[in-house]
Amino acid sequence: MTNSQHSGPNDNDMDEAQIQAAIERILASDKSVAEKSTHFGAPEGIFSGRAQALSNLSKEHSIFDGSQQELEERRALRRVGSMSTELEDVSEVENRQLRLERVVLAGIWTEGTSTDAENSLRELAALAETAGSEVLDGIVQRRAKPDAGTYLGSGKAQELREIVAATGADTVIIDSELSPSQRRGLEDVVKVKVIDRTALILDIFAQHAKSHEGRAQVELAQLEYLLPRLRGWGESMSRQAGGRVGTAGGGIGSRGPGETKIELDRRRIRDRMAKLKKEIKGMLPAREAKRANRKRNAVPSVAIAGYTNAGKSSLLNRLTHAGVLVENALFATLDPTVRQATTEDGLNYTLTDTVGFVKGLPTQLVEAFRSTLEEIAESDLILHVVDAAHPDPEGQIAAVREVLTDVQARNIPEIIVLNKADVADPFVVERLRQREPNHVIVSARTGDGIEELLQKISDSIPRPGVQLELMIPYDRGDVVNKLHGAESEILSMEHTENGTHMMVKVRESMAAEVEQFSIHG
């Protein structure tokens, strides 16, 4: 993303062509977004059509993804452009859809290459589109560090204001987390709503969370983000007059109600946060009981982790026919899904699809979703899914591993799954192969490489380690039946005159139970 250029020093210097362009955009004209952005020097292709952080696939689903009814319901409620929120006819009440927010993006390039800065803003565009916005334009400023007052420098902030006025945008999204003072300062300049990357991600999570636990976790994260950002006095906020007396002070009769409205709001938020934390804590025993049951039965656990939109849900569907929602969007699925799978030689294990990660994942979300992320930390193997067709796959890997470190999961065995190989650049795939020795190249959409991945999972999950030779009497069929379960691996079995002769590998927990039938015991 190159820096946008605009020559007008203020809003009043716009010529008639610019004013007409702004009017057409506000009225939702049929001009493409590319035509809207070209005046400001945005390179064609960056904001035209689909954001480049999303996959460019001709076919979004495979037969393994099921009917995708949940996706149809979600898209039926999606906001669309070119529709006003004003009702012109009573019949619109049941059928109206919300108008898309028109947004302009802004970021700062402080380190790395210009390509890194472009990829970051493209990803922000993809997040904005996922949240239901229409991206009109974007700028990147080269600075050593953000401005303390307005994040952007004063000149660039003024240029952003001109872009907002000319495009008819109603929101500015900043590709970083803003302090409350930076947000206020920038809003004072651009005269429209300003939100940051963290608020945008929280909004997407709020839209997509379905389970009771997921909704509680997202609401807690939103409140933690909102608490230090309450601002303004306003007419409805009565300030404390204190204990002043005499003619200089307000005295009796002029004091406020004792607390400001903003303090009451903070108290309500803290009370709600305390209630949510208690609810989430109350949900832990059920999750821990399921996890303990899997451990008791010695069922290996495989967690599917990775960057958002890397294809985790598609891979789960391909491996288990789970039929979970699949959408070419960031953070399409948030609630974890657990499915049972079996290796070719009959060993059972579980596959868990977890929430996706992203660069700069808000710390509020990491903390709120910690109980969910513990599924990864408690697993025996991690399938780290990487979008090999993404412009910066190495950046994805680094961002995911940073979160895995936060949840104490970096010491768990990891398989790098290079997904979307059918549309990836072969040179990029080869580069990733050289960097990550323990890898598998797959396409969850076409099925290429899935057999190799299944074999690698089978070789990597924990297996029974105690080998025994047993002679089990025919009247102890219950023991033979148990040896066919998940805690043992049968190497050979033969029916003899004296009983069932078996060569088995069992886990330590089961070895003591069958020791009495050991031939060499």
mmCIF file of all heavy atoms in Angstrom, residues 142-169:
data_model
loop_
_atom_site.group_PDB
_atom_site.id
_atom_site.type_symbol
_atom_site.label_atom_id
_atom_site.label_comp_id
_atom_site.label_asym_id
_atom_site.label_seq_id
_atom_site.Cartn_x
_atom_site.Cartn_y
_atom_site.Cartn_z
ATOM 1 N N ARG A 142 4.265 6.542 6.666
ATOM 2 C CA ARG A 142 5.577 6.085 7.127
ATOM 3 C C ARG A 142 5.999 6.948 8.301
ATOM 4 O O ARG A 142 6.239 8.145 8.179
ATOM 5 C CB ARG A 142 6.601 6.213 5.987
ATOM 6 C CG ARG A 142 7.949 5.596 6.330
ATOM 7 C CD ARG A 142 7.833 4.083 6.293
ATOM 8 N NE ARG A 142 9.136 3.427 6.260
ATOM 9 C CZ ARG A 142 9.759 2.902 7.322
ATOM 10 N NH1 ARG A 142 9.215 2.985 8.516
ATOM 11 N NH2 ARG A 142 10.916 2.298 7.185
ATOM 12 N N ARG A 143 6.051 6.334 9.484
ATOM 13 C CA ARG A 143 6.441 7.059 10.705
ATOM 14 C C ARG A 143 7.282 6.146 11.577
ATOM 15 O O ARG A 143 7.124 4.916 11.555
ATOM 16 C CB ARG A 143 5.204 7.491 11.521
ATOM 17 C CG ARG A 143 4.404 8.626 10.937
ATOM 18 C CD ARG A 143 3.230 8.966 11.842
ATOM 19 N NE ARG A 143 3.680 9.451 13.127
ATOM 20 C CZ ARG A 143 3.861 10.736 13.432
ATOM 21 N NH1 ARG A 143 3.636 11.656 12.517
ATOM 22 N NH2 ARG A 143 4.258 11.101 14.629
ATOM 23 N N ALA A 144 8.138 6.731 12.381
ATOM 24 C CA ALA A 144 8.941 5.952 13.317
ATOM 25 C C ALA A 144 8.071 5.410 14.448
ATOM 26 O O ALA A 144 8.275 4.293 14.925
ATOM 27 C CB ALA A 144 10.080 6.792 13.879
ATOM 28 N N LYS A 145 7.085 6.195 14.889
ATOM 29 C CA LYS A 145 6.150 5.764 15.928
ATOM 30 C C LYS A 145 4.865 6.568 15.813
ATOM 31 O O LYS A 145 4.863 7.674 15.247
ATOM 32 C CB LYS A 145 6.764 5.941 17.316
ATOM 33 C CG LYS A 145 7.106 7.373 17.677
ATOM 34 C CD LYS A 145 7.697 7.456 19.086
ATOM 35 C CE LYS A 145 8.005 8.916 19.456
ATOM 36 N NZ LYS A 145 8.557 9.012 20.835
ATOM 37 N N PRO A 146 3.747 6.056 16.314
ATOM 38 C CA PRO A 146 2.477 6.781 16.213
ATOM 39 C C PRO A 146 2.522 8.107 16.956
ATOM 40 O O PRO A 146 3.230 8.265 17.956
ATOM 41 C CB PRO A 146 1.463 5.823 16.851
ATOM 42 C CG PRO A 146 2.108 4.481 16.795
ATOM 43 C CD PRO A 146 3.581 4.724 16.919
ATOM 44 N N ASP A 147 1.754 9.065 16.455
ATOM 45 C CA ASP A 147 1.613 10.351 17.125
ATOM 46 C C ASP A 147 0.816 10.168 18.409
ATOM 47 O O ASP A 147 -0.202 9.459 18.434
ATOM 48 C CB ASP A 147 0.911 11.348 16.204
ATOM 49 C CG ASP A 147 0.774 12.716 16.829
ATOM 50 O OD1 ASP A 147 1.764 13.452 16.849
ATOM 51 O OD2 ASP A 147 -0.338 13.033 17.307
ATOM 52 N N ALA A 148 1.256 10.782 19.469
ATOM 53 C CA ALA A 148 0.596 10.605 20.768
ATOM 54 C C ALA A 148 -0.793 11.213 20.801
ATOM 55 O O ALA A 148 -1.657 10.764 21.570
ATOM 56 C CB ALA A 148 1.456 11.218 21.876
ATOM 57 N N GLY A 149 -1.041 12.228 19.974
ATOM 58 C CA GLY A 149 -2.330 12.901 20.020
ATOM 59 C C GLY A 149 -3.364 12.351 19.076
ATOM 60 O O GLY A 149 -4.519 12.146 19.464
ATOM 61 N N THR A 150 -2.967 12.105 17.830
ATOM 62 C CA THR A 150 -3.954 11.699 16.826
ATOM 63 C C THR A 150 -3.554 10.421 16.090
ATOM 64 O O THR A 150 -4.156 10.086 15.073
ATOM 65 C CB THR A 150 -4.147 12.814 15.779
ATOM 66 O OG1 THR A 150 -2.888 13.103 15.169
ATOM 67 C CG2 THR A 150 -4.720 14.072 16.412
ATOM 68 N N TYR A 151 -2.543 9.684 16.582
ATOM 69 C CA TYR A 151 -2.024 8.458 15.973
ATOM 70 C C TYR A 151 -1.322 8.783 14.659
ATOM 71 O O TYR A 151 -0.140 8.490 14.494
ATOM 72 C CB TYR A 151 -3.144 7.436 15.745
ATOM 73 C CG TYR A 151 -2.638 6.117 15.182
ATOM 74 C CD1 TYR A 151 -1.955 5.216 15.992
ATOM 75 C CD2 TYR A 151 -2.830 5.776 13.850
ATOM 76 C CE1 TYR A 151 -1.479 4.013 15.488
ATOM 77 C CE2 TYR A 151 -2.359 4.576 13.338
ATOM 78 C CZ TYR A 151 -1.693 3.703 14.160
ATOM 79 O OH TYR A 151 -1.215 2.523 13.651
ATOM 80 N N LEU A 152 -2.013 9.394 13.709
ATOM 81 C CA LEU A 152 -1.390 9.890 12.488
ATOM 82 C C LEU A 152 -0.830 11.285 12.758
ATOM 83 O O LEU A 152 -1.257 11.967 13.690
ATOM 84 C CB LEU A 152 -2.410 9.962 11.353
ATOM 85 C CG LEU A 152 -3.125 8.659 10.968
ATOM 86 C CD1 LEU A 152 -4.263 8.962 9.997
ATOM 87 C CD2 LEU A 152 -2.164 7.661 10.363
ATOM 88 N N GLY A 153 0.110 11.711 11.943
ATOM 89 C CA GLY A 153 0.573 13.081 12.073
ATOM 90 C C GLY A 153 -0.525 14.065 11.710
ATOM 91 O O GLY A 153 -1.519 13.714 11.074
ATOM 92 N N SER A 154 -0.349 15.322 12.077
ATOM 93 C CA SER A 154 -1.402 16.316 11.855
ATOM 94 C C SER A 154 -1.716 16.485 10.371
ATOM 95 O O SER A 154 -2.882 16.605 9.980
ATOM 96 C CB SER A 154 -0.977 17.658 12.455
ATOM 97 O OG SER A 154 0.255 18.095 11.886
ATOM 98 N N GLY A 155 -0.677 16.472 9.527
ATOM 99 C CA GLY A 155 -0.912 16.614 8.087
ATOM 100 C C GLY A 155 -1.652 15.423 7.502
ATOM 101 O O GLY A 155 -2.577 15.579 6.704
ATOM 102 N N LYS A 156 -1.258 14.225 7.902
ATOM 103 C CA LYS A 156 -1.912 13.025 7.391
ATOM 104 C C LYS A 156 -3.332 12.907 7.940
ATOM 105 O O LYS A 156 -4.241 12.425 7.244
ATOM 106 C CB LYS A 156 -1.100 11.794 7.758
ATOM 107 C CG LYS A 156 -1.593 10.498 7.141
ATOM 108 C CD LYS A 156 -1.543 10.523 5.629
ATOM 109 C CE LYS A 156 -0.130 10.549 5.094
ATOM 110 N NZ LYS A 156 -0.082 10.405 3.619
ATOM 111 N N ALA A 157 -3.555 13.341 9.179
ATOM 112 C CA ALA A 157 -4.905 13.328 9.742
ATOM 113 C C ALA A 157 -5.816 14.271 8.955
ATOM 114 O O ALA A 157 -6.989 13.964 8.699
ATOM 115 C CB ALA A 157 -4.869 13.721 11.214
ATOM 116 N N GLN A 158 -5.275 15.442 8.546
ATOM 117 C CA GLN A 158 -6.059 16.374 7.744
ATOM 118 C C GLN A 158 -6.355 15.783 6.371
ATOM 119 O O GLN A 158 -7.456 15.920 5.827
ATOM 120 C CB GLN A 158 -5.300 17.698 7.591
ATOM 121 C CG GLN A 158 -6.069 18.775 6.859
ATOM 122 C CD GLN A 158 -7.330 19.202 7.597
ATOM 123 O OE1 GLN A 158 -7.344 19.227 8.831
ATOM 124 N NE2 GLN A 158 -8.389 19.521 6.869
ATOM 125 N N GLU A 159 -5.372 15.082 5.795
ATOM 126 C CA GLU A 159 -5.592 14.416 4.506
ATOM 127 C C GLU A 159 -6.657 13.339 4.635
ATOM 128 O O GLU A 159 -7.507 13.173 3.748
ATOM 129 C CB GLU A 159 -4.281 13.801 4.022
ATOM 130 C CG GLU A 159 -4.405 13.078 2.691
ATOM 131 C CD GLU A 159 -3.092 12.431 2.277
ATOM 132 O OE1 GLU A 159 -2.044 12.814 2.815
ATOM 133 O OE2 GLU A 159 -3.130 11.524 1.415
ATOM 134 N N LEU A 160 -6.648 12.621 5.757
ATOM 135 C CA LEU A 160 -7.666 11.596 5.998
ATOM 136 C C LEU A 160 -9.051 12.230 6.083
ATOM 137 O O LEU A 160 -10.034 11.682 5.574
ATOM 138 C CB LEU A 160 -7.340 10.835 7.286
ATOM 139 C CG LEU A 160 -8.290 9.715 7.701
ATOM 140 C CD1 LEU A 160 -8.336 8.628 6.632
ATOM 141 C CD2 LEU A 160 -7.863 9.117 9.045
ATOM 142 N N ARG A 161 -9.130 13.393 6.697
ATOM 143 C CA ARG A 161 -10.417 14.100 6.778
ATOM 144 C C ARG A 161 -10.943 14.434 5.384
ATOM 145 O O ARG A 161 -12.144 14.294 5.115
ATOM 146 C CB ARG A 161 -10.253 15.380 7.601
ATOM 147 C CG ARG A 161 -11.521 16.230 7.641
ATOM 148 C CD ARG A 161 -11.279 17.539 8.342
ATOM 149 N NE ARG A 161 -12.473 18.362 8.312
ATOM 150 C CZ ARG A 161 -12.552 19.594 8.822
ATOM 151 N NH1 ARG A 161 -11.491 20.131 9.402
ATOM 152 N NH2 ARG A 161 -13.671 20.281 8.752
ATOM 153 N N GLU A 162 -10.051 14.867 4.493
ATOM 154 C CA GLU A 162 -10.465 15.210 3.141
ATOM 155 C C GLU A 162 -10.960 13.972 2.388
ATOM 156 O O GLU A 162 -11.941 14.034 1.642
ATOM 157 C CB GLU A 162 -9.293 15.860 2.404
ATOM 158 C CG GLU A 162 -8.888 17.201 3.011
ATOM 159 C CD GLU A 162 -7.518 17.657 2.532
ATOM 160 O OE1 GLU A 162 -6.929 16.947 1.690
ATOM 161 O OE2 GLU A 162 -7.044 18.704 3.005
ATOM 162 N N ILE A 163 -10.280 12.848 2.587
ATOM 163 C CA ILE A 163 -10.712 11.605 1.944
ATOM 164 C C ILE A 163 -12.083 11.189 2.452
ATOM 165 O O ILE A 163 -12.958 10.776 1.684
ATOM 166 C CB ILE A 163 -9.675 10.496 2.179
ATOM 167 C CG1 ILE A 163 -8.363 10.835 1.484
ATOM 168 C CG2 ILE A 163 -10.189 9.147 1.705
ATOM 169 C CD1 ILE A 163 -7.243 9.860 1.784
ATOM 170 N N VAL A 164 -12.288 11.299 3.765
ATOM 171 C CA VAL A 164 -13.575 10.943 4.362
ATOM 172 C C VAL A 164 -14.686 11.817 3.785
ATOM 173 O O VAL A 164 -15.773 11.334 3.426
ATOM 174 C CB VAL A 164 -13.505 11.078 5.897
ATOM 175 C CG1 VAL A 164 -14.900 11.030 6.507
ATOM 176 C CG2 VAL A 164 -12.637 9.968 6.492
ATOM 177 N N ALA A 165 -14.419 13.120 3.673
ATOM 178 C CA ALA A 165 -15.439 14.036 3.154
ATOM 179 C C ALA A 165 -15.765 13.732 1.696
ATOM 180 O O ALA A 165 -16.921 13.770 1.280
ATOM 181 C CB ALA A 165 -14.962 15.477 3.313
ATOM 182 N N ALA A 166 -14.747 13.416 0.899
ATOM 183 C CA ALA A 166 -14.970 13.203 -0.530
ATOM 184 C C ALA A 166 -15.598 11.855 -0.836
ATOM 185 O O ALA A 166 -16.340 11.729 -1.811
ATOM 186 C CB ALA A 166 -13.649 13.347 -1.279
ATOM 187 N N THR A 167 -15.310 10.858 -0.034
ATOM 188 C CA THR A 167 -15.872 9.523 -0.289
ATOM 189 C C THR A 167 -17.232 9.328 0.358
ATOM 190 O O THR A 167 -17.932 8.364 0.043
ATOM 191 C CB THR A 167 -14.928 8.431 0.229
ATOM 192 O OG1 THR A 167 -14.694 8.618 1.633
ATOM 193 C CG2 THR A 167 -13.607 8.428 -0.517
ATOM 194 N N GLY A 168 -17.600 10.201 1.279
ATOM 195 C CA GLY A 168 -18.857 10.005 1.996
ATOM 196 C C GLY A 168 -18.777 8.919 3.031
ATOM 197 O O GLY A 168 -19.789 8.317 3.399
ATOM 198 N N ALA A 169 -17.577 8.625 3.529
ATOM 199 C CA ALA A 169 -17.399 7.589 4.551
ATOM 200 C C ALA A 169 -17.999 8.038 5.870
ATOM 201 O O ALA A 169 -18.059 9.231 6.179
ATOM 202 C CB ALA A 169 -15.913 7.277 4.719
#
